[in-house]
């Protein structure tokens, strides 16, 4: 008697074979993913953004008042509304906490951890402004991760 395999079993087998190609079984988790990213919240400073959008509001008002072309009026009104909306968003964000991202680097040895950190810094350290944190900041991060309700 021949029993046909269900489609679910076939799909599961194909998925397992695909995962074997992508994730070799002999590798350690630290080798596959040497970092995981955590986010913490801190107060936000948006003074520069508020100044920028106030300036854009003034420019949009000037353009609207000095406009003589009735075809541009709709565009200029839309531009002024956009500047006001963005200013309101910046003002709202200033009351919200800021997200601070902390990248924890893992490795089996100190040398391996340093190597992973150096690779990350080379890959995007300047653009992302990646920095090593001090021991005191590290203690604050660990405290915040263990108890997210505490304030630092």
């Amino acid at each position: 008697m021949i029993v046909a395999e269900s489609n679910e079993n076939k799909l599961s087998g194909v998925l397992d074979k695909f995962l074997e190609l992508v994730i070799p079984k002999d590798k350690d988790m630290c080798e596959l993913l040497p970092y995981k990213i955590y986010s913490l919240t801190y107060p936000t400073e948006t003074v520069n953004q508020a100044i920028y959008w106030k300036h854009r509001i003034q420019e949009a008002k000037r353009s609207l008042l000095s406009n003589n072309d009735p075809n541009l009026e709709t565009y200029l009104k839309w531009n002024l509304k956009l500047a006001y909306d963005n200013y309101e968003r910046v003002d709202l964000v200033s009351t919200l906490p800021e997200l601070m991202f902390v990248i924890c680097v893992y490795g089996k040895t100190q040398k391996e951890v340093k190597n992973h950190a150096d690779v990350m810094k080379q890959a995007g350290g300047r653009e992302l402004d990646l920095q090593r944190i001090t021991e005191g900041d590290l203690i604050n991060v660990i405290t915040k991760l263990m108890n997210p309700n505490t304030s630092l």
Side-chain angles (χ1 to χ4, degrees), residues 121-138:
K121 194 135 179 146
Q122 290 170 357
R126 182 167 291 164
E127 293 83 7
L128 298 174
D129 192 26
L130 294 180
Q131 304 169 9
R132 291 180 187 250
I133 60 175
T134 63
E135 189 174 331
D137 288 339
L138 178 62

Side-chain angles (χ1 to χ4, degrees), residues 12 16 28 54 61 79 84 90 94 102 110 124 130 135 140:
S12 177
D16 289 341
D28 187 350
K54 281 184 183 178
K61 283 181 181 179
N79 196 19
Y84 270 118
V90 166
S94 69
V102 179
Q110 283 285 80
L130 294 180
E135 189 174 331
N140 287 341

Side-chain angles (χ1 to χ4, degrees), residues 20 23-28:
E20 286 177 9
I23 303 174
K25 290 185 177 182
D26 59 341
K27 294 212 173 186
D28 187 350

